[in-house]
Amino acid sequence: MKILSNVSLKERSPLQLTGTTKYWVDITSEKDLYSIWEWIQKNQIKYFILGEGSNTVVVNNWDGIILHPKGCRLEIKVNDKIFYYTLPSQNLFQEFYSFKQDKNLIEFIQKNPSKQIECKVESGVHWDSFIYFCLLHGIRGLEPLSGIPGKVGAVPIQNVGAYGEEVKNFIFLVEAYDLRTLEKKIFTREECEFQYRDSFFKKHINQYLISSVHFLFSNLKKEIQYEELKKYYYEKLSNPQELEAIKKMIPQGHKVLEESILSSFLLRYSVYQIRREKGMILEANHELSKNLGSFFLNPLLSEKEFLNLQKKIISKNRNLKIPFFKEDHVYKIPAAWLIEFAGFYKGYEEKGFMISPKHNLCIINKNGDLESLKEFVKKIQDTVYKKTQILLKPEPIFMEEFQ
């Protein structure tokens, strides 16, 4: 374990705001955590847990230490047999990675199709790499969550979700250390208190360092829930020429003749293309990639609140229809639509930041700083509230709240 000094935070977060931290340490084991915890107690220094920084707005100067989880081990258990692997802690985003495929694991899963598959993943593993590794070996379910930046340890905090799927549907245990006492705790799915982009860990942000996440897969084929994704997927599936072109993109040596693996790859490819069209894939050296993805949460309204919103907007715009997704008695309103309705169109620029030309929910850093970002975010919130009486809540964590 090595403690680094005066580390730039600009390249440690996709938004690339200028900032530095006094100290930085990579944590790869329990031993590392115990050692750095003693050092923190001895020096009475503040700390902040930071993964890939893809959901964090960093500060100009952090007068403390950054704890960076970097454990990268993976255990896959099928019918009491355990397979061990090491996965990357970071990776350049692409539909198909050049990972080594374990034919023994594939064959074992195929021989035990009715068995559930358990994956214990250390928190430092690159999330998208883990998804691809699963699909590469016939472990299905996470395809809709492809292309989301971050590490495995971050996904329970945010209960990440996309295209009709949420990670809570696959997590059954989370191992974490309470950094007040360094006690290790194991949280069940119920104890994680998962909600829409929320969890127990988000309510206690920076208190628990997640060391590993346990996933459970049934490997039963699930119906695609999101209409846009379903349409794109079946269009590709029904086109032999496009299907053959996609096959050729898959790295040589990967055994994908099985229908389940090929269909998973096709679904992942479809998700990537939709995300790319919306500017939601972090491409290397691409100026539109200087962002944190969706910057605001989609508001959840009761039926009464939705009807009041509808009445308020339609009274002045009779031909306007408010898009929504309804689940039970809750109406989810796209924040992107509210932002555009408030006048912040795609490509709108102010204070060194820009609304993405591809998606209203994404804020691009052109050459801005932290204070300018906060002013821009507040202006969006205030304008949307004035027009709709809805206060948009930012999705990223602002690191300065812990100074």
Side-chain angles (χ1 to χ4, degrees), residues 337-393:
W337 184 88
L338 294 170
I339 291 168
E340 182 152 344
F341 175 72
F344 298 95
Y345 51 84
K346 295 182 181 72
Y348 179 97
E349 291 190 42
E350 187 172 316
K351 299 183 181 298
F353 293 90
M354 175 177 70
I355 300 293
S356 171
K358 295 186 175 184
H359 201 290
N360 296 80
L361 205 50
C362 188
I363 296 178
I364 310 292
N365 181 10
K366 300 284 286 183
N367 56 2
D369 56 26
L370 176 60
E371 290 305 313
S372 297
L373 175 63
K374 290 192 296 183
E375 290 174 14
F376 188 41
V377 169
K378 188 175 187 309
K379 181 175 180 178
I380 293 172
Q381 289 176 304
D382 290 347
T383 308
V384 169
Y385 185 80
K386 184 177 180 180
K387 286 180 173 287
T388 66
Q389 297 299 296
I390 293 176
L391 179 61
L392 292 180
K393 296 180 180 179

Side-chain angles (χ1 to χ4, degrees), residues 132-257:
Y132 184 76
F133 192 86
C134 285
L135 305 186
L136 186 61
H137 293 89
I139 302 172
R140 308 194 303 194
L142 294 176
E143 295 94 324
L145 306 182
S146 295
I148 295 175
K151 294 182 182 290
V152 166
V155 297
I157 299 173
Q158 193 73 2
N159 181 25
V160 299
Y163 304 112
E165 192 59 88
E166 287 184 309
V167 76
K168 70 176 184 180
N169 298 324
F170 303 94
I171 292 174
F172 75 101
L173 290 176
V174 174
E175 298 182 28
Y177 290 88
D178 186 336
L179 293 182
R180 297 170 302 178
T181 62
L182 215 59
E183 177 187 1
K184 186 176 183 178
K185 297 184 178 182
I186 298 178
F187 294 82
T188 64
R189 178 183 294 161
E190 291 71 25
E191 290 171 330
C192 289
E193 299 177 7
F194 290 125
Q195 295 178 355
Y196 170 65
R197 302 299 171 271
D198 200 6
S199 69
F200 171 86
F201 304 105
K202 191 169 184 179
K203 294 182 179 73
H204 299 83
I205 200 73
N206 212 44
Q207 180 180 325
Y208 290 88
L209 188 145
I210 293 174
S211 57
S212 61
V213 184
H214 297 244
F215 298 87
L216 192 63
F217 301 94
S218 64
N219 246 21
L220 297 174
K221 188 172 182 179
K222 296 180 70 174
E223 185 66 28
I224 301 173
Q225 300 296 318
Y226 199 81
E227 285 302 320
E228 183 184 8
L229 177 58
K230 183 186 293 187
K231 180 181 177 182
Y232 195 101
Y233 171 80
Y234 283 108
E235 282 179 356
K236 300 298 178 188
L237 188 63
S238 62
N239 188 321
Q241 290 182 328
E242 288 209 53
L243 197 56
E244 195 60 35
I246 293 169
K247 285 183 183 179
K248 290 180 179 178
M249 294 172 61
I250 299 170
Q252 290 185 353
H254 285 182
K255 185 180 178 183
V256 294
L257 298 179

Side-chain angles (χ1 to χ4, degrees), residues 16 22 34 129 143 180 236 262 287 322 327 364:
Q16 294 189 28
K22 191 172 184 179
Y34 283 129
S129 294
E143 295 94 324
R180 297 170 302 178
K236 300 298 178 188
L262 182 57
E287 67 169 18
I322 304 171
E327 187 174 343
I364 310 292

Side-chain angles (χ1 to χ4, degrees), residues 41-63:
Q41 300 304 308
K42 179 180 178 181
N43 292 280
Q44 289 296 295
I45 194 167
K46 62 187 176 184
Y47 60 84
F48 188 82
I49 306 164
L50 186 69
E52 288 189 3
S54 56
N55 199 48
T56 303
V57 178
V58 302
V59 293
N60 294 328
N61 291 289
W62 179 252
D63 188 25

